Amino acid sequence: MTQDAVNIPTEHGGQSLGHGVAGHPKGVLPLVFAELWERFSWNGMRGVLVLFLVSSVHGGLGIAPATAVAIYGVYNSAAYMLAVPGGWLGGRVLGPRRAVVLGGAVLVLGHFSMAVPTIATFCCGLLLVAVGTGLLKPNIAAMIGELYERNGIAERKDAGFTVLYIGVNIGSFAAPLVVGTVAEEINWHIGFAIAGVGMLVSLLTLFLNRQPLSDIGRVSARMDPGQRSSTFRRAGLWLALGVALLAVDIASGAFSIDHVVNVMPILGVGIPVLYFASILRNGGLAREDRPRIKAYIWFFGVAVLFWMIYDQSGSLLSLFADGKTDRSLGGWQFPASWFQSVNPALVILLGPALAALWISTARRSREPSTVTKFSFALLLVGASFGVMAVAGWFAGGNGAAKVSILWLLAVYLLQTIGELCLVPVGLALSTKLAPAAFVSQLIGLWYMAGATGHAINGWVTQLNKPMGDTAYYGLWATVALIAGGCFLLCSRRLGVLMRGVR
């Protein structure tokens, strides 16, 4: 039920923007709907990427599975890594609202470039999609966090970001069924074009609902012209150096995707280390901000391990679904990309229940702490790979004995519950722990955790072939279970660092 706008003094010194549906701020639903369509385009393309790369039919590239998995890891890592400069641009230069619109426009160009059946346009499209995602995601989350702050209901952020997560997963659920079916059964590039149409709808949604969002999404801490010029100059020099090294590698004839795979984890670890160091050295931090940033570093590390394991669902698990899983339904074999709809479907089903649980337990002062939720996420993703280890054993080395789809469904169920314990909670935590001038940037670092996990994926997934499924999945199951237990033991220490933040 829509409520009348009310004036609530906020910690930002502004007025409430008004409550919308079910007590959530007005303006949240347009942002959620825009993210829904952005996720439709992203998940539609990403869900078929590895399958397109290994396929030799319908215009696929027909490359080796190991190379396809490496490209998938590099692409995902780059997209999330670019959320750091994307968050910085939104917070210090453009403002989150303008960054979201610019990111959406770049995404449209990227998806339609991939629809053109040439290697050059495909590679260009991948790059544009990565850049657009880096601009859009941290800044749209910053706008949602600002809506709750401006309305004086910051304590509802966990539930609010869970609602966002449910919304975007509606788009993620539909994408593989639509894009995946067209891409696998008709033509891969037509599927990429459909993903581009989804992004156009996202941009249109933002345009039609610009009025409720007109008072938010501005630059939080604008840089002076000299500082901005210096920053852009340094960034340009580093970018030029990277392009030059790549050009030399290609010109020498020794270039291999492995070179990029090996560089990405170095960037994935190095960038957040440097970024956290620069934030902690910032003279404008309040006394209570420094320990909160230190606490955030621990959550960042947990998220890296979670994403490193979790996002193999689009690479190794996708290949497992394609070659080692019985996908027959009444004599018809459904597309392997359909498995990419299982996770979002489970988010839609389980997300409201979990959001209601957090609200209910909060009212009784019994809500699990953020540390506990993150620990649960690691324990659950570890358990999911334990299931995969058993499924791999039943499938055998070459997948001659294909396993039931129930194995993968069980894996996705465990991973989804873990995801719901980590992702919306982590987004909310980023806005809670961030100093006012660093909200978009800390959200960018939250997505950087995914980038680092994806980058490390490029290394660890190469172990799957020599180790075999059972040993490989069993190894990472053990690592995640031990890490989850250890993190839970750190709750008291982290609570001290986070003093004043729930």
Side-chain angles (χ1 to χ4, degrees):
M1 181 174 65
T2 302
Q3 301 177 5
D4 294 331
V6 291
N7 292 326
I8 304 173
T10 74
E11 60 187 276
H12 295 274
Q15 295 294 316
S16 165
L17 300 177
H19 286 183
V21 177
H24 292 285
K26 189 179 295 183
V28 164
L29 285 184
L31 291 173
V32 169
F33 196 70
E35 262 283 64
L36 182 157
W37 282 104
E38 185 274 332
R39 285 295 91 180
F40 174 89
S41 64
W42 162 271
N43 215 45
M45 185 275 288
R46 195 188 72 149
V48 299
L49 180 57
V50 169
L51 300 174
F52 162 72
L53 292 171
V54 302
S55 175
S56 56
V57 298
H58 304 313
L61 297 185
I63 65 178
T67 305
V69 169
I71 292 172
Y72 174 88
V74 168
Y75 160 70
N76 277 286
S77 178
Y80 284 99
M81 200 174 289
L82 288 168
V84 175
W88 177 83
L89 283 169
R92 306 297 300 275
V93 180
L94 298 172
R97 189 172 69 249
R98 288 181 178 176
V100 165
V101 174
L102 177 60
V106 174
L107 279 165
V108 170
L109 290 174
H111 285 296
F112 282 117
S113 293
M114 294 177 70
V116 180
T118 69
I119 295 293
T121 52
F122 170 77
C123 294
C124 179
L126 269 184
L127 177 61
L128 289 171
V129 170
V131 171
T133 300
L135 275 169
L136 186 144
K137 288 199 70 62
N139 290 295
I140 206 167
M143 290 173 70
I144 290 173
E146 184 180 349
L147 283 171
Y148 283 89
E149 294 282 354
R150 291 281 296 274
N151 281 275
I153 51 174
E155 71 279 358
R156 299 187 189 177
K157 281 185 181 179
D158 278 14
F161 277 106
T162 301
V163 171
L164 167 69
Y165 216 61
I166 295 166
V168 301
N169 274 279
I170 294 173
S172 297
F173 167 75
L177 302 179
V178 177
V179 177
T181 302
V182 171
E184 287 193 68
E185 302 296 330
I186 302 175
N187 185 276
W188 300 102
H189 297 283
I190 296 176
F192 295 144
I194 293 174
V197 172
M199 197 58 234
L200 275 176
V201 175
S202 178
L203 271 181
L204 182 62
T205 299
L206 290 172
F207 176 77
L208 294 177
N209 292 277
R210 61 192 182 279
Q211 185 58 39
L213 304 172
S214 59
D215 291 330
I216 65 166
R218 296 172 181 169
V219 178
S220 57
R222 190 177 297 278
M223 304 175 72
D224 63 73
Q227 188 181 19
R228 186 168 63 242
S229 175
S230 174
T231 301
F232 278 120
R233 185 166 58 252
R234 288 198 303 269
L237 288 173
W238 281 108
L239 180 61
L241 176 62
V243 171
L245 289 174
L246 179 61
V248 170
D249 195 21
I250 294 173
S252 69
F255 174 76
S256 165
I257 188 63
D258 290 339
H259 296 177
V260 182
V261 169
N262 291 331
V263 168
M264 293 304 284
I266 297 171
L267 294 175
V269 174
I271 290 174
V273 167
L274 293 174
Y275 213 95
F276 277 122
S278 70
I279 292 176
L280 289 170
R281 288 198 305 266
N282 190 290
L285 287 182
R287 182 179 178 182
E288 68 274 10
D289 287 333
R290 219 169 294 276
R292 290 176 181 176
I293 296 297
K294 290 179 180 178
Y296 190 80
I297 293 172
W298 286 92
F299 290 101
F300 179 89
V302 169
V304 168
L305 178 57
F306 178 88
W307 287 120
M308 188 202 77
I309 296 173
Y310 171 93
D311 212 61
Q312 294 179 44
S313 61
S315 54
L316 290 182
L317 267 63
S318 187
L319 294 175
F320 189 94
D322 190 42
K324 300 181 180 181
T325 304
D326 182 4
R327 295 178 281 114
S328 298
L329 289 176
W332 173 69
Q333 185 166 266
F334 65 86
S337 59
W338 281 19
F339 277 104
Q340 299 302 308
S341 286
V342 174
N343 166 258
L346 290 172
V347 170
I348 296 165
L349 292 172
L350 300 176
L354 210 60
L357 177 63
W358 299 153
I359 293 173
S360 174
T361 52
R363 286 172 179 163
R364 293 179 282 120
S365 299
R366 299 185 65 179
E367 182 180 5
S369 69
T370 303
V371 175
T372 302
K373 293 174 183 176
F374 270 56
S375 298
F376 284 169
L378 278 184
L379 294 172
L380 287 162
V381 81
S384 76
F385 263 38
V387 173
M388 276 303 302
V390 179
W393 183 78
F394 279 116
N398 57 8
K402 293 189 176 183
V403 300
S404 166
I405 63 172
L406 295 177
W407 287 100
L408 282 177
L409 294 181
V411 169
Y412 286 124
L413 174 62
L414 290 168
Q415 291 189 351
T416 300
I417 300 173
E419 178 186 1
L420 287 168
C421 288
L422 182 131
V423 179
V425 177
L427 277 170
L429 181 72
S430 300
T431 63
K432 291 175 184 177
L433 293 180
F438 291 93
V439 176
S440 285
Q441 295 169 73
L442 215 63
I443 293 174
L445 277 169
W446 170 249
Y447 288 115
M448 184 71 200
T452 304
H454 294 309
I456 297 172
N457 255 341
W459 280 343
V460 301
T461 52
Q462 295 180 54
L463 299 174
N464 177 252
K465 187 173 181 179
M467 291 181 67
D469 286 342
T470 300
Y472 175 82
Y473 293 119
L475 168 66
W476 294 114
T478 303
V479 170
L481 292 171
I482 292 174
C486 291
F487 192 68
L488 192 58
L489 296 175
C490 297
S491 57
R492 180 170 296 183
R493 172 60 180 162
L494 288 168
V496 172
L497 293 173
M498 294 168 60
R499 186 176 289 121
V501 175
R502 276 287 299 168

